Amino acid sequence: MITSITFAFCCTMLARTEAENITKIDVETKFGISQNGIAQAINHSKTLLAGSARGFIVELYFKQGEYHINMSDVLMRMDDVGATGQGSLLFQGAGMYSTIFILNTNNIYNVIDGRNTYRVTWRDMTFDRYALTTTQGSVYHTGPDYIVLSIQDGFPNPNDLNNSKSSRLRPGQGQWLRRYNNTDPLHPEIITDNRSNHIWPELANLQVEFANVTRFIPELSQPKQNLNLWRFNIPTHFLPLLQDYTKNQQVGVKYKHGGQAFNVNSGDSITFERIRWRGHSRGDLRKVNNVKFLSCVVEKHDPIDGVASFLATPGGGPQIGNCQDEYVYNVTFYNHSSDSTGDDSIALFNVKGANVSNNYIKDSFCRGILLASSIGVTQENTLIRCPLWNTTCDLLTEH
């Protein structure tokens, strides 16, 4: 098991640039890069920001390196950051591919979590849940109300993923199958009918829900094969779709686990700039105005034995607003790149003043971009095998 890397305390590196009104703190040197060290750095920042004037910035700097952290709770707890004063907090890395947090979250902990959070930016770093959070395989057998998959070598067993769900999800929530074309093992593609980039659902490859999963033991009369076989039981409503799950069909398995990249409920001015997410990507910003995602990336882990994951993550990407809340305002997604998320790669609910432009989205398990009861500009977006769907909150169904 990967354990936390804790760095020895050294002399304090606290530099103040008066002209720019920035207090820069080298987190490794002052606090150490660990769950506890990061918590101390955030609490110290809150003290500095209390009563601060507009334009004052606390910069928490994370130098180049891979930081392995075995999380036992939220990594960055942001409650009440910036709630008093007018200053800002900046989490600054050395680069998207240079400052890398490799996280063991047990799939149940949020990386960032906050209430009443104001004027915070994360910039130039990677958040990577190193453990695989999706699985995949090929159809071995289809029964009257079930599908048996042979799980691809090197990918997790389904029960391992199911056991890592958080209390945020009810039993059975977020469990779906979709079919894939794996002719090129390094570049799998979700199957689509290519009707339009503005239509949902995708009729050629509807999502199939599964209720529970058990190991499948072949009958003694069948040839012995060294296969990792699992039976996925299918609810009655989805049984007509089993006809498409023929032998050797490649299938991606989505298990939402509940642990999120970020969860901020209430606040203002939250920015993610040049952030890379691997192994997870779903984040939730509710009751937060003035949101920016600038040149961020969601990407897959490296291939396993020459086979790429069908899914990069078990959930979607950033989710802004909520159908149960009042409108939020001024939300920007610019130059956002997302590959194979397990749900909507970008989703806006009850947003006014949205600017969703120059984004690249491919092979989302659900919609590429979802605009639900949201108003704004969408232009120059590239969507491959997933739609931009403009709808209203009352027409949405959960996946």
Side-chain angles (χ1 to χ4, degrees):
M1 175 177 289
I2 294 178
T3 56
S4 303
I5 289 182
T6 305
F7 295 86
F9 287 92
C10 300
C11 57
T12 298
M13 291 283 293
L14 181 61
R16 180 69 176 271
T17 306
E18 294 291 345
E20 296 179 327
N21 206 19
I22 298 176
T23 294
K24 182 174 181 178
I25 302 169
D26 185 319
V27 176
E28 179 182 351
T29 301
K30 184 172 177 62
F31 298 105
I33 309 293
S34 65
Q35 184 161 341
N36 183 60
I38 291 172
Q40 291 182 50
I42 292 171
N43 288 332
H44 181 62
S45 300
K46 288 170 67 174
T47 300
L48 295 175
L49 289 168
S52 61
R54 185 176 300 277
F56 175 65
I57 300 171
V58 175
E59 178 184 329
L60 297 180
Y61 179 68
F62 298 84
K63 64 182 65 172
Q64 179 175 346
E66 288 190 358
Y67 303 108
H68 294 251
I69 300 179
N70 197 26
M71 289 169 52
S72 58
D73 200 348
V74 171
L75 179 63
M76 298 179 176
R77 193 167 291 283
M78 305 301 296
D79 294 350
D80 299 317
V81 169
T84 61
Q86 296 296 315
S88 303
L89 176 59
L90 169 63
F91 292 84
Q92 178 66 57
M96 181 189 295
Y97 296 94
S98 297
T99 298
I100 302 173
F101 293 96
I102 300 178
L103 307 173
N104 178 12
T105 67
N106 298 315
N107 292 339
I108 61 176
Y109 300 118
N110 296 336
V111 178
I112 297 165
D113 195 278
R115 305 291 182 272
N116 202 28
T117 305
Y118 297 84
R119 298 174 302 281
V120 182
T121 296
W122 286 264
R123 181 187 294 155
D124 294 323
M125 57 185 65
T126 287
F127 295 105
D128 185 350
R129 293 181 194 243
Y130 75 92
L132 287 173
T133 51
T134 66
T135 195
Q136 62 199 56
S138 59
V139 174
Y140 174 81
H141 171 67
T142 302
D145 59 356
Y146 64 90
I147 300 170
V148 176
L149 295 184
S150 174
I151 300 301
Q152 177 77 40
D153 289 345
F155 287 82
N157 289 335
N159 63 338
D160 293 335
L161 299 178
N162 186 47
N163 290 336
S164 63
K165 283 192 172 185
S166 78
S167 59
R168 184 178 73 85
L169 300 174
R170 64 180 181 273
Q173 183 179 352
Q175 300 179 177
W176 300 87
L177 308 173
R178 285 192 84 184
R179 294 177 293 120
Y180 285 77
N181 178 348
N182 198 29
T183 303
D184 181 350
L186 292 176
H187 300 94
E189 299 177 354
I190 200 163
I191 291 175
T192 177
D193 61 12
N194 294 313
R195 288 181 301 156
S196 170
N197 263 356
H198 298 280
I199 294 177
W200 184 261
E202 172 55 71
L203 297 180
N205 188 13
L206 290 169
Q207 301 185 50
V208 174
E209 188 175 20
F210 59 91
N212 63 295
V213 184
T214 55
R215 276 200 178 272
F216 180 80
I217 307 300
E219 297 178 0
L220 293 176
S221 59
Q222 294 178 314
K224 288 187 177 181
Q225 295 174 284
N226 188 23
L227 299 177
N228 187 13
L229 301 176
W230 292 82
R231 169 174 166 156
F232 293 74
N233 294 309
I234 309 300
T236 302
H237 179 67
F238 295 91
L239 295 182
L241 301 177
L242 295 189
Q243 63 182 347
D244 295 324
Y245 285 74
T246 55
K247 188 171 179 61
N248 297 323
Q249 171 64 57
Q250 300 294 311
V251 179
V253 181
K254 163 184 165 178
Y255 264 110
K256 281 188 176 180
H257 58 57
Q260 301 193 81
F262 50 87
N263 177 33
V264 178
N265 192 328
S266 73
D268 198 291
S269 300
I270 302 296
T271 298
F272 293 91
E273 184 174 2
R274 296 188 297 275
I275 298 297
R276 180 175 64 145
W277 288 283
R278 304 179 85 196
H280 70 302
S281 55
R282 189 191 193 278
D284 191 14
L285 298 179
R286 294 182 62 175
K287 303 177 184 177
V288 179
N289 296 319
N290 301 305
V291 170
K292 294 180 181 178
F293 287 79
L294 308 174
S295 300
C296 294
V297 175
V298 176
E299 70 177 31
K300 298 178 181 181
H301 283 119
D302 296 337
I304 298 173
D305 296 330
V307 177
S309 298
F310 295 165
L311 286 156
T313 69
Q319 318 280 296
I320 314 302
N322 190 279
C323 286
Q324 306 303 316
D325 299 340
E326 296 180 356
Y327 279 105
V328 295
Y329 295 86
N330 302 327
V331 174
T332 298
F333 280 85
Y334 182 81
N335 197 34
H336 184 87
S337 176
S338 185
D339 182 1
S340 304
T341 57
D343 211 309
D344 305 315
S345 297
I346 296 173
L348 276 58
F349 308 89
N350 278 348
V351 173
K352 288 186 177 180
N355 187 341
V356 183
S357 303
N358 295 87
N359 302 294
Y360 180 87
I361 314 291
K362 62 176 292 202
D363 290 309
S364 170
F365 202 87
C366 204
R367 283 79 50 144
I369 299 173
L370 170 63
L371 304 175
S373 299
S374 296
I375 302 168
V377 176
T378 59
Q379 59 184 3
E380 302 299 328
N381 295 299
T382 300
L383 294 104
I384 299 175
R385 293 179 293 276
C386 53
L388 186 160
W389 196 45
N390 204 326
T391 187
T392 57
C393 281
D394 60 317
L395 294 178
L396 284 178
T397 57
E398 180 189 21
H399 293 294

mmCIF file of all heavy atoms in Angstrom, residues 279-304:
data_model
loop_
_atom_site.group_PDB
_atom_site.id
_atom_site.type_symbol
_atom_site.label_atom_id
_atom_site.label_comp_id
_atom_site.label_asym_id
_atom_site.label_seq_id
_atom_site.Cartn_x
_atom_site.Cartn_y
_atom_site.Cartn_z
ATOM 1 N N GLY A 279 -8.198 9.164 -13.167
ATOM 2 C CA GLY A 279 -8.861 8.231 -12.270
ATOM 3 C C GLY A 279 -10.109 8.772 -11.604
ATOM 4 O O GLY A 279 -10.852 8.035 -10.975
ATOM 5 N N HIS A 280 -10.345 10.052 -11.709
ATOM 6 C CA HIS A 280 -11.543 10.690 -11.188
ATOM 7 C C HIS A 280 -11.668 12.048 -11.860
ATOM 8 O O HIS A 280 -10.685 12.627 -12.311
ATOM 9 C CB HIS A 280 -11.471 10.857 -9.676
ATOM 10 C CG HIS A 280 -10.466 11.871 -9.216
ATOM 11 N ND1 HIS A 280 -9.131 11.794 -9.531
ATOM 12 C CD2 HIS A 280 -10.594 12.996 -8.479
ATOM 13 C CE1 HIS A 280 -8.495 12.818 -8.999
ATOM 14 N NE2 HIS A 280 -9.359 13.565 -8.353
ATOM 15 N N SER A 281 -12.873 12.555 -11.946
ATOM 16 C CA SER A 281 -13.052 13.858 -12.588
ATOM 17 C C SER A 281 -14.331 14.559 -12.147
ATOM 18 O O SER A 281 -14.466 15.765 -12.333
ATOM 19 C CB SER A 281 -13.080 13.713 -14.121
ATOM 20 O OG SER A 281 -14.083 12.785 -14.527
ATOM 21 N N ARG A 282 -15.274 13.807 -11.576
ATOM 22 C CA ARG A 282 -16.528 14.449 -11.205
ATOM 23 C C ARG A 282 -16.304 15.402 -10.042
ATOM 24 O O ARG A 282 -15.717 15.072 -9.020
ATOM 25 C CB ARG A 282 -17.582 13.424 -10.793
ATOM 26 C CG ARG A 282 -18.962 14.072 -10.618
ATOM 27 C CD ARG A 282 -19.968 13.136 -9.963
ATOM 28 N NE ARG A 282 -21.327 13.644 -10.074
ATOM 29 C CZ ARG A 282 -21.848 14.554 -9.261
ATOM 30 N NH1 ARG A 282 -21.128 15.072 -8.282
ATOM 31 N NH2 ARG A 282 -23.112 14.955 -9.430
ATOM 32 N N GLY A 283 -16.807 16.607 -10.206
ATOM 33 C CA GLY A 283 -16.789 17.593 -9.145
ATOM 34 C C GLY A 283 -18.077 18.383 -9.174
ATOM 35 O O GLY A 283 -18.741 18.492 -10.209
ATOM 36 N N ASP A 284 -18.437 18.949 -8.058
ATOM 37 C CA ASP A 284 -19.738 19.572 -7.883
ATOM 38 C C ASP A 284 -19.551 20.959 -7.279
ATOM 39 O O ASP A 284 -18.985 21.092 -6.191
ATOM 40 C CB ASP A 284 -20.572 18.678 -6.954
ATOM 41 C CG ASP A 284 -22.027 19.067 -6.912
ATOM 42 O OD1 ASP A 284 -22.461 19.844 -7.774
ATOM 43 O OD2 ASP A 284 -22.739 18.581 -6.010
ATOM 44 N N LEU A 285 -19.992 21.984 -8.008
ATOM 45 C CA LEU A 285 -20.017 23.343 -7.475
ATOM 46 C C LEU A 285 -21.462 23.804 -7.447
ATOM 47 O O LEU A 285 -22.093 23.970 -8.496
ATOM 48 C CB LEU A 285 -19.183 24.291 -8.341
ATOM 49 C CG LEU A 285 -17.680 23.994 -8.461
ATOM 50 C CD1 LEU A 285 -17.015 25.014 -9.380
ATOM 51 C CD2 LEU A 285 -17.007 24.005 -7.100
ATOM 52 N N ARG A 286 -21.996 24.027 -6.265
ATOM 53 C CA ARG A 286 -23.375 24.481 -6.115
ATOM 54 C C ARG A 286 -23.405 25.820 -5.395
ATOM 55 O O ARG A 286 -22.632 26.060 -4.462
ATOM 56 C CB ARG A 286 -24.207 23.456 -5.322
ATOM 57 C CG ARG A 286 -24.404 22.137 -6.031
ATOM 58 C CD ARG A 286 -25.269 21.180 -5.224
ATOM 59 N NE ARG A 286 -26.621 21.694 -4.994
ATOM 60 C CZ ARG A 286 -27.591 20.987 -4.400
ATOM 61 N NH1 ARG A 286 -27.345 19.755 -3.980
ATOM 62 N NH2 ARG A 286 -28.793 21.517 -4.225
ATOM 63 N N LYS A 287 -24.291 26.689 -5.867
ATOM 64 C CA LYS A 287 -24.471 28.017 -5.253
ATOM 65 C C LYS A 287 -23.165 28.802 -5.267
ATOM 66 O O LYS A 287 -22.837 29.511 -4.318
ATOM 67 C CB LYS A 287 -25.013 27.875 -3.827
ATOM 68 C CG LYS A 287 -26.326 27.105 -3.741
ATOM 69 C CD LYS A 287 -26.784 26.933 -2.298
ATOM 70 C CE LYS A 287 -28.057 26.073 -2.233
ATOM 71 N NZ LYS A 287 -28.494 25.830 -0.842
ATOM 72 N N VAL A 288 -22.412 28.647 -6.368
ATOM 73 C CA VAL A 288 -21.137 29.354 -6.540
ATOM 74 C C VAL A 288 -21.184 30.116 -7.851
ATOM 75 O O VAL A 288 -21.336 29.515 -8.919
ATOM 76 C CB VAL A 288 -19.950 28.368 -6.548
ATOM 77 C CG1 VAL A 288 -18.633 29.128 -6.748
ATOM 78 C CG2 VAL A 288 -19.905 27.551 -5.256
ATOM 79 N N ASN A 289 -21.050 31.421 -7.802
ATOM 80 C CA ASN A 289 -20.986 32.258 -8.997
ATOM 81 C C ASN A 289 -19.529 32.479 -9.399
ATOM 82 O O ASN A 289 -18.607 32.289 -8.617
ATOM 83 C CB ASN A 289 -21.638 33.614 -8.733
ATOM 84 C CG ASN A 289 -23.127 33.499 -8.441
ATOM 85 O OD1 ASN A 289 -23.826 32.728 -9.078
ATOM 86 N ND2 ASN A 289 -23.601 34.265 -7.474
ATOM 87 N N ASN A 290 -19.329 32.902 -10.652
ATOM 88 C CA ASN A 290 -18.000 33.273 -11.168
ATOM 89 C C ASN A 290 -17.025 32.089 -11.080
ATOM 90 O O ASN A 290 -16.066 32.074 -10.306
ATOM 91 C CB ASN A 290 -17.449 34.484 -10.396
ATOM 92 C CG ASN A 290 -18.374 35.677 -10.506
ATOM 93 O OD1 ASN A 290 -18.726 36.110 -11.609
ATOM 94 N ND2 ASN A 290 -18.796 36.207 -9.360
ATOM 95 N N VAL A 291 -17.314 31.097 -11.904
ATOM 96 C CA VAL A 291 -16.552 29.849 -11.948
ATOM 97 C C VAL A 291 -15.783 29.785 -13.262
ATOM 98 O O VAL A 291 -16.314 30.103 -14.328
ATOM 99 C CB VAL A 291 -17.506 28.641 -11.836
ATOM 100 C CG1 VAL A 291 -16.768 27.333 -12.113
ATOM 101 C CG2 VAL A 291 -18.182 28.620 -10.473
ATOM 102 N N LYS A 292 -14.530 29.335 -13.205
ATOM 103 C CA LYS A 292 -13.723 29.208 -14.419
ATOM 104 C C LYS A 292 -12.984 27.869 -14.435
ATOM 105 O O LYS A 292 -12.365 27.482 -13.434
ATOM 106 C CB LYS A 292 -12.694 30.338 -14.511
ATOM 107 C CG LYS A 292 -13.290 31.721 -14.685
ATOM 108 C CD LYS A 292 -12.197 32.775 -14.768
ATOM 109 C CE LYS A 292 -12.791 34.171 -14.918
ATOM 110 N NZ LYS A 292 -11.736 35.206 -14.958
ATOM 111 N N PHE A 293 -13.040 27.192 -15.585
ATOM 112 C CA PHE A 293 -12.194 26.046 -15.894
ATOM 113 C C PHE A 293 -11.420 26.401 -17.150
ATOM 114 O O PHE A 293 -12.002 26.528 -18.232
ATOM 115 C CB PHE A 293 -13.033 24.786 -16.105
ATOM 116 C CG PHE A 293 -13.606 24.217 -14.846
ATOM 117 C CD1 PHE A 293 -14.737 24.770 -14.277
ATOM 118 C CD2 PHE A 293 -12.995 23.138 -14.219
ATOM 119 C CE1 PHE A 293 -15.274 24.260 -13.102
ATOM 120 C CE2 PHE A 293 -13.522 22.614 -13.044
ATOM 121 C CZ PHE A 293 -14.664 23.178 -12.481
ATOM 122 N N LEU A 294 -10.117 26.563 -17.018
ATOM 123 C CA LEU A 294 -9.284 27.071 -18.099
ATOM 124 C C LEU A 294 -8.183 26.063 -18.413
ATOM 125 O O LEU A 294 -7.326 25.773 -17.566
ATOM 126 C CB LEU A 294 -8.672 28.420 -17.708
ATOM 127 C CG LEU A 294 -9.652 29.488 -17.208
ATOM 128 C CD1 LEU A 294 -8.900 30.722 -16.719
ATOM 129 C CD2 LEU A 294 -10.647 29.869 -18.291
ATOM 130 N N SER A 295 -8.219 25.498 -19.610
ATOM 131 C CA SER A 295 -7.165 24.591 -20.091
ATOM 132 C C SER A 295 -6.923 23.418 -19.148
ATOM 133 O O SER A 295 -5.786 23.011 -18.900
ATOM 134 C CB SER A 295 -5.859 25.375 -20.319
ATOM 135 O OG SER A 295 -6.043 26.389 -21.282
ATOM 136 N N CYS A 296 -8.006 22.851 -18.640
ATOM 137 C CA CYS A 296 -7.904 21.665 -17.789
ATOM 138 C C CYS A 296 -8.021 20.391 -18.626
ATOM 139 O O CYS A 296 -8.498 20.417 -19.760
ATOM 140 C CB CYS A 296 -8.981 21.693 -16.713
ATOM 141 S SG CYS A 296 -8.783 23.052 -15.520
ATOM 142 N N VAL A 297 -7.601 19.264 -18.056
ATOM 143 C CA VAL A 297 -7.528 18.006 -18.795
ATOM 144 C C VAL A 297 -8.041 16.860 -17.926
ATOM 145 O O VAL A 297 -7.682 16.744 -16.749
ATOM 146 C CB VAL A 297 -6.068 17.699 -19.211
ATOM 147 C CG1 VAL A 297 -5.965 16.337 -19.865
ATOM 148 C CG2 VAL A 297 -5.540 18.779 -20.147
ATOM 149 N N VAL A 298 -8.877 16.017 -18.513
ATOM 150 C CA VAL A 298 -9.232 14.721 -17.926
ATOM 151 C C VAL A 298 -8.688 13.656 -18.864
ATOM 152 O O VAL A 298 -9.049 13.629 -20.044
ATOM 153 C CB VAL A 298 -10.753 14.553 -17.770
ATOM 154 C CG1 VAL A 298 -11.082 13.156 -17.241
ATOM 155 C CG2 VAL A 298 -11.327 15.632 -16.857
ATOM 156 N N GLU A 299 -7.822 12.791 -18.363
ATOM 157 C CA GLU A 299 -7.215 11.801 -19.239
ATOM 158 C C GLU A 299 -7.151 10.430 -18.576
ATOM 159 O O GLU A 299 -7.276 10.293 -17.355
ATOM 160 C CB GLU A 299 -5.813 12.249 -19.674
ATOM 161 C CG GLU A 299 -4.774 12.246 -18.596
ATOM 162 C CD GLU A 299 -3.397 12.621 -19.114
ATOM 163 O OE1 GLU A 299 -3.310 13.409 -20.070
ATOM 164 O OE2 GLU A 299 -2.405 12.123 -18.546
ATOM 165 N N LYS A 300 -6.930 9.422 -19.402
ATOM 166 C CA LYS A 300 -6.860 8.048 -18.924
ATOM 167 C C LYS A 300 -5.498 7.756 -18.287
ATOM 168 O O LYS A 300 -4.506 8.434 -18.549
ATOM 169 C CB LYS A 300 -7.062 7.069 -20.088
ATOM 170 C CG LYS A 300 -8.410 7.165 -20.766
ATOM 171 C CD LYS A 300 -8.490 6.181 -21.927
ATOM 172 C CE LYS A 300 -9.822 6.255 -22.643
ATOM 173 N NZ LYS A 300 -9.912 5.280 -23.755
ATOM 174 N N HIS A 301 -5.504 6.696 -17.478
ATOM 175 C CA HIS A 301 -4.236 6.135 -17.042
ATOM 176 C C HIS A 301 -3.565 5.423 -18.218
ATOM 177 O O HIS A 301 -4.174 5.212 -19.266
ATOM 178 C CB HIS A 301 -4.458 5.145 -15.892
ATOM 179 C CG HIS A 301 -4.716 5.816 -14.580
ATOM 180 N ND1 HIS A 301 -5.878 5.647 -13.863
ATOM 181 C CD2 HIS A 301 -3.965 6.671 -13.847
ATOM 182 C CE1 HIS A 301 -5.834 6.345 -12.751
ATOM 183 N NE2 HIS A 301 -4.681 6.980 -12.715
ATOM 184 N N ASP A 302 -2.321 5.049 -18.025
ATOM 185 C CA ASP A 302 -1.572 4.380 -19.083
ATOM 186 C C ASP A 302 -2.200 3.016 -19.408
ATOM 187 O O ASP A 302 -2.813 2.383 -18.541
ATOM 188 C CB ASP A 302 -0.121 4.183 -18.650
ATOM 189 C CG ASP A 302 0.605 5.508 -18.438
ATOM 190 O OD1 ASP A 302 0.162 6.514 -19.013
ATOM 191 O OD2 ASP A 302 1.595 5.517 -17.678
ATOM 192 N N PRO A 303 -2.049 2.557 -20.650
ATOM 193 C CA PRO A 303 -2.586 1.234 -21.025
ATOM 194 C C PRO A 303 -2.011 0.123 -20.160
ATOM 195 O O PRO A 303 -0.909 0.223 -19.606
ATOM 196 C CB PRO A 303 -2.147 1.088 -22.488
ATOM 197 C CG PRO A 303 -1.955 2.484 -22.977
ATOM 198 C CD PRO A 303 -1.431 3.256 -21.787
ATOM 199 N N ILE A 304 -2.776 -0.969 -20.055
ATOM 200 C CA ILE A 304 -2.355 -2.156 -19.311
ATOM 201 C C ILE A 304 -2.105 -3.271 -20.317
ATOM 202 O O ILE A 304 -3.027 -3.693 -21.033
ATOM 203 C CB ILE A 304 -3.440 -2.574 -18.303
ATOM 204 C CG1 ILE A 304 -3.654 -1.459 -17.272
ATOM 205 C CG2 ILE A 304 -3.060 -3.890 -17.618
ATOM 206 C CD1 ILE A 304 -4.810 -1.721 -16.340
#
